Structures are given as structure tokens and as C-alpha cells.
């Protein structure tokens, strides 16, 4: 019995919390909510916003400040590569945070588009709607230690801790008004299946949601989908009114990898296309649909 106890006591624990404690005790910035991740390049006051909660080994007592960085990722090839590495913008002191519901410092970090562009020294010739500003956060403690996206292990960036330390902010612009044509395709011939039929292609036009999908015989969308003669193809339109400040296009997902689409702007420019590269290529989340108003 004594020998058995010795064997059991030497077995390494596989509990998640023990894995966390194997790392150096430091600090995290838990994501509470991403309030806005779209930056309108036509408006210098358009602001990225995220609410975070700081936690350290002393439950917030060591928290000094959050340092804010920004990076330009040039994802549009037509104007060359103007990518810029992470650049320091400013710091948010712990005094700007308040005590949250679980007793830890909680606050909102905001970064206007104009301030971010100025910090990187980039102008309209360097970025294009469809590019991404990556906002990086670094937590600094009173003893001088710092922690950011380069020091966070995978167990920290996701799951319970939800502390990625950096966030993508898609660049958009005030959109060209008029009729956008959405060509919808399905390779199996049974319309679109996007999960729970609450979302298809969603367009947020200054806070008003317009939804588009090709009807399927397997489920009923909660909004008016577009009927199809053969299940393989349908066409819908989205109207962007004159004076619209922001229009963001987002995709709920493709349940079976059968879907493709092409979005054509009022001036005939193809704003987004996956049909030419194959089915199942529409990425979930915000889509880089950005044809700017003149």
C-alpha cells in the first residue's frame, strides 16, 4: 500500500490549472467585449474599442498601465505593400480603470483611426479599405514587468483567460451609394445552409441590418431569402442610400463548404469574389467589401 501511494504521488497532474501555474506568474488582459472593430478611413474620429479586465498575481494590485500599439497589415496588393510593424501610440494608466464585478480592474481602451495613422506615419496612399489595423495591448506592472502578445502562450490567448493582447480592426470607408448586386452560388444545388438560418450575408447600414441568402429546401431563414430555380444560383441586391456613413458586410459561415459569392458595386467594380477561386472560400466574420464614396 505504501509503495502504491508513492507511485500515485509521483504522477504529474494533467489539470489545466497546473499547466497555467507551470508558467511564470505574470498578468493578463482578459477580453470582456470588443465594442467596435471597424475603422472608417474616411473619418479620423472612427474609433476601435475593447473592454478588458486586468489580472495579476496580486489581483490587480500590481497593475500600472496598458501600453497601446498599432500595426498596419496591407492586405490589398494593388497599391504595393505598405505594412508597418507595431508602433507605440500611448499608455492608459491604471487610474482610468475601475473595479469590475469580480473585484479586478476593468476598463475600455479606445484608439481613433486618425491617432493610429498618425502614430505610424501613414497616409491615404499607404492604406486602402480592406487593409487591417492590428491593435496590440501590453500590460505593465508596477515592478516594471510587461506582458503582451509575444509572451502569451496559447492557453492564455483563448478559452477561460481570453487574453489575446491584440485585435484586428478592419479598414472601411463611407461607401459608394447605389445598388450592390450579390450573385449567390451553391455547388450542391440545395441553396445556402449557414447554420441556424438566423444569418446569411449580413449588411449593417448605419445600424440598420439588411440580410441576404439563397433559399434552401432544408430550412427556413428568419428573413426573406431569395428564391432559386435550381438551388445552384440566385441573385439579390442591396441598396446603400446616399449619405451612408458606414456599411459593413459580414458572413455567418458555410455549414458544408458549398457556398460562393460575388458582390459587385454600383460602378461595376467587383468588391468581393470567391466564385472565381472556388466554393467554401467565404471567411466567417467581416468581409473586406469597401468601395468608397467619391
Amino acid at each position: 500500500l505504501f509503495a502504491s501511494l508513492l507511485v500515485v504521488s509521483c504522477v504529474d497532474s494533467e489539470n489545466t490549472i497546473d499547466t497555467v501555474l507551470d508558467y511564470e506568474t505574470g498578468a493578463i488582459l482578459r477580453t470582456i467585449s470588443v465594442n467596435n472593430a471597424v475603422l472608417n478611413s474616411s473619418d479620423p474620429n472612427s474609433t476601435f474599442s475593447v473592454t478588458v479586465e486586468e489580472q495579476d498575481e496580486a489581483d490587480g494590485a500590481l497593475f500600472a498601465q496598458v501600453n497601446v500599439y498599432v500595426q498596419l497589415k496591407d492586405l490589398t496588393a494593388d497599391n504595393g505593400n505598405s505594412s508597418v510593424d507595431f508602433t507605440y501610440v500611448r499608455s492608459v494608466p491604471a487610474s482610468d480603470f475601475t473595479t469590475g464585478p469580480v473585484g479586478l480592474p476593468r476598463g475600455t481602451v479606445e484608439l481613433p483611426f486618425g491617432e493610429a495613422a498618425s502614430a505610424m506615419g501613414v497616409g491615404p496612399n499607404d492604406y486602402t479599405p480592406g487593409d487591417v489595423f492590428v491593435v496590440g495591448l501590453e500590460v505593465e506592472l508596477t515592478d516594471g514587468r510587461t506582458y503582451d502578445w509575444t509572451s502569451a502562450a496559447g492557453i492564455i490567448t483563448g478559452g477561460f483567460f481570453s487574453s489575446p493582447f491584440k485585435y484586428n480592426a478592419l479598414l472601411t470607408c463611407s461607401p459608394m451609394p447605389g445598388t450592390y448586386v450579390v450573385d449567390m452560388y451553391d455547388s450542391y444545388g440545395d441553396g445556402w445552409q449557414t447554420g441556424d438560418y438566423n444569418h446569411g450575408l449580413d449588411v449593417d447600414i448605419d445600424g440598420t441590418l439588411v440580410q441576404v441568402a439563397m433559399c434552401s429546401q432544408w430550412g427556413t431563414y428568419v428573413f426573406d431569402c431569395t428564391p432559386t430555380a435550381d438551388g445552384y444560383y440566385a441573385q439579390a441586391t442591396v441598396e446603400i442610400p446616399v449619405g451612408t456613413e458606414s456599411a459593413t458586410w459580414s458572413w455567418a459561415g458555410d455549414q458544408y463548404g458549398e457556398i460562393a459569392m460575388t458582390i459587385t458595386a454600383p460602378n461595376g467594380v467587383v468588391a468581393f469574389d470567391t466564385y472565381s477561386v472556388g466554393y467554401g472560400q467565404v471567411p466567417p466574420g467581416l468581409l473586406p467589401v469597401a468601395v468608397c464614396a467619391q
Side-chain angles (χ1 to χ4, degrees):
L1 177 61
F2 179 69
S4 298
L5 288 174
L6 285 178
V7 171
V8 171
S9 66
C10 292
V11 174
D12 290 336
S13 170
E14 296 181 356
N15 293 332
T16 300
I17 188 62
D18 295 313
T19 304
V20 174
L21 293 176
D22 280 343
Y23 292 94
E24 174 190 355
T25 303
I28 62 170
L29 288 174
R30 181 179 292 107
T31 303
I32 302 302
S33 62
V34 178
N35 308 313
N36 183 52
V38 177
L39 292 175
N40 186 345
S41 59
S42 302
D43 179 7
N45 295 317
S46 177
T47 301
F48 167 83
S49 175
V50 61
T51 299
V52 295
E53 183 177 75
E54 193 274 350
Q55 185 174 3
D56 55 52
E57 59 195 270
D59 291 333
L62 296 176
F63 179 35
Q65 62 187 25
V66 171
N67 302 319
V68 184
Y69 296 80
V70 66
Q71 173 192 39
L72 169 61
K73 295 184 74 172
D74 191 337
L75 302 180
T76 51
D78 56 350
N79 65 339
N81 188 348
S82 301
S83 297
V84 177
D85 203 358
F86 278 106
T87 303
Y88 173 78
V89 182
R90 58 183 164 83
S91 298
V92 181
S95 58
D96 284 1
F97 283 56
T98 58
T99 302
V102 296
L104 296 172
R106 182 176 291 193
T108 298
V109 178
E110 296 183 330
L111 181 60
F113 170 78
E115 184 180 0
S118 177
M120 291 186 289
V122 297
N125 293 329
D126 301 308
Y127 52 77
T128 304
D131 292 341
V132 168
F133 277 16
V134 184
V135 181
L137 304 182
E138 177 186 67
V139 58
E140 184 173 335
L141 304 183
T142 54
D143 58 13
R145 286 180 293 164
T146 59
Y147 300 91
D148 61 16
W149 57 94
T150 65
S151 55
I155 196 171
I156 296 297
T157 59
F160 168 77
F161 292 100
S162 188
S163 182
F165 288 99
K166 63 179 180 179
Y167 307 86
N168 289 336
L170 177 69
L171 295 191
T172 64
C173 59
S174 296
M176 174 179 289
T179 302
Y180 288 71
V181 177
V182 182
D183 291 300
M184 301 176 285
Y185 307 89
D186 185 87
S187 63
Y188 196 76
D190 59 354
W192 281 7
Q193 293 89 46
T194 55
D196 60 7
Y197 297 97
N198 288 315
H199 297 276
L201 176 63
D202 296 351
V203 190
D204 186 329
I205 305 172
D206 283 347
T208 299
L209 186 63
V210 176
Q211 296 178 288
V212 172
M214 179 165 52
C215 299
S216 169
Q217 65 265 40
W218 304 117
T220 302
Y221 282 94
V222 298
F223 53 90
D224 291 334
C225 57
T226 303
T228 171
D230 56 7
Y232 291 94
Y233 173 75
Q235 186 181 87
T237 59
V238 175
E239 295 292 333
I240 303 294
V242 174
T244 297
E245 294 184 1
S246 174
T248 56
W249 303 65
S250 59
W251 175 238
D254 181 347
Q255 191 169 355
Y256 300 112
E258 303 168 356
I259 296 173
M261 69 176 72
T262 301
I263 302 172
T264 305
N267 60 354
V269 170
V270 175
F272 182 79
D273 171 58
T274 62
Y275 179 69
S276 63
V277 297
Y279 292 86
Q281 302 297 314
V282 189
L286 290 172
L287 302 181
V289 179
V291 178
C292 302
Q294 299 300 317

